[in-house]
Amino acid sequence: MNLKPITIVLGSILSFTMISCNSNKINNQEQTENSTSSSKLISSLKATQNNYNIKDTITLEFTVKNPTSKVIKFTQYHTPFEGMISNFLTIKDTKGNDIKYIGPMVKRVTPPPSNSYHTLEPGASESIKFSINKSYKIENAGTYIINYIQTPINGIKTSKSIKIKVNN
């Protein structure tokens, strides 16, 4: 009996299996690095002006900074980089009352697809300006305290509070 064809077939199957397993190991490792490394990222919010009138567009600037010496990727999920399609801010008046999120809530694919990731070089930052008017209903004059909320999916740290003043 000639064992050479059987040996070639079994060898081919074994090689294919090892390549597939190795490929999955690499992909899983990349996902872990993307999600856990980003927990070192720092966020900040900044108001684009000191005072707003009640009918003004309230625009904020969100910045993510990589303070490390390594390249870090983060997904834009639950950040202004994907638009106002989730509740990623806390907004309170000076009495501690929450301003409710009234914007859309979008379900997302997990794990996040590769095109949802942003890459930050060591020491680099990325910023985006966005309006909160359609997603948070600020109806009264007063001072409001705003924070970006950390979520596990992107790991960007919660921002320090900012205050905005809204006039009649």
Side-chain angles (χ1 to χ4, degrees), residues 29 32-34 36-42 64-74 118-125:
Q29 182 180 359
T32 301
E33 288 173 3
N34 286 340
T36 59
S37 296
S38 63
S39 63
K40 295 179 170 91
L41 295 171
I42 298 170
V64 178
K65 182 173 182 171
N66 176 2
T68 73
S69 59
K70 296 181 179 178
V71 174
I72 296 180
K73 291 183 179 185
F74 70 93
H118 294 242
T119 302
L120 286 178
E121 297 294 324
S125 63

Side-chain angles (χ1 to χ4, degrees), residues 128-141:
I128 188 167
K129 290 182 180 177
F130 65 101
S131 167
I132 64 172
N133 294 63
K134 291 182 181 175
S135 297
Y136 297 89
K137 200 164 190 175
I138 296 179
E139 300 177 301
N140 300 311

Side-chain angles (χ1 to χ4, degrees), residues 116-160:
S116 76
Y117 281 88
H118 294 242
T119 302
L120 286 178
E121 297 294 324
S125 63
E126 188 172 349
S127 299
I128 188 167
K129 290 182 180 177
F130 65 101
S131 167
I132 64 172
N133 294 63
K134 291 182 181 175
S135 297
Y136 297 89
K137 200 164 190 175
I138 296 179
E139 300 177 301
N140 300 311
T143 301
Y144 294 88
I145 301 151
I146 305 172
N147 288 82
Y148 169 75
I149 308 165
Q150 180 176 353
T151 58
I153 192 88
N154 64 40
I156 301 168
K157 292 181 182 177
T158 298
S159 70
K160 291 183 180 178

Side-chain angles (χ1 to χ4, degrees), residues 16-137:
F16 178 74
T17 304
M18 289 175 65
I19 289 168
S20 295
C21 290
N22 201 18
S23 175
N24 286 338
K25 185 176 180 183
I26 290 168
N27 289 337
N28 289 337
Q29 182 180 359
E30 286 174 3
Q31 287 177 348
T32 301
E33 288 173 3
N34 286 340
S35 62
T36 59
S37 296
S38 63
S39 63
K40 295 179 170 91
L41 295 171
I42 298 170
S43 70
S44 64
L45 284 174
K46 182 171 73 172
T48 59
Q49 57 191 71
N50 294 327
N51 293 300
Y52 298 91
N53 288 321
I54 198 78
K55 295 185 183 196
D56 287 349
T57 298
I58 299 173
T59 303
L60 304 177
E61 183 175 28
F62 176 74
T63 301
V64 178
K65 182 173 182 171
N66 176 2
T68 73
S69 59
K70 296 181 179 178
V71 174
I72 296 180
K73 291 183 179 185
F74 70 93
T75 180
Q76 66 187 14
Y77 284 10
H78 298 285
T79 72
F81 292 108
E82 72 170 344
M84 294 298 292
I85 58 175
S86 65
N87 183 15
F88 51 77
L89 298 174
T90 57
I91 302 178
K92 295 181 183 278
D93 63 19
T94 53
K95 295 177 185 170
N97 299 314
D98 284 323
I99 303 304
K100 300 275 187 252
Y101 177 76
I102 57 172
M105 291 293 286
V106 175
K107 290 191 177 212
R108 292 164 189 82
V109 175
T110 55
S114 61
N115 66 350
S116 76
Y117 281 88
H118 294 242
T119 302
L120 286 178
E121 297 294 324
S125 63
E126 188 172 349
S127 299
I128 188 167
K129 290 182 180 177
F130 65 101
S131 167
I132 64 172
N133 294 63
K134 291 182 181 175
S135 297
Y136 297 89
K137 200 164 190 175

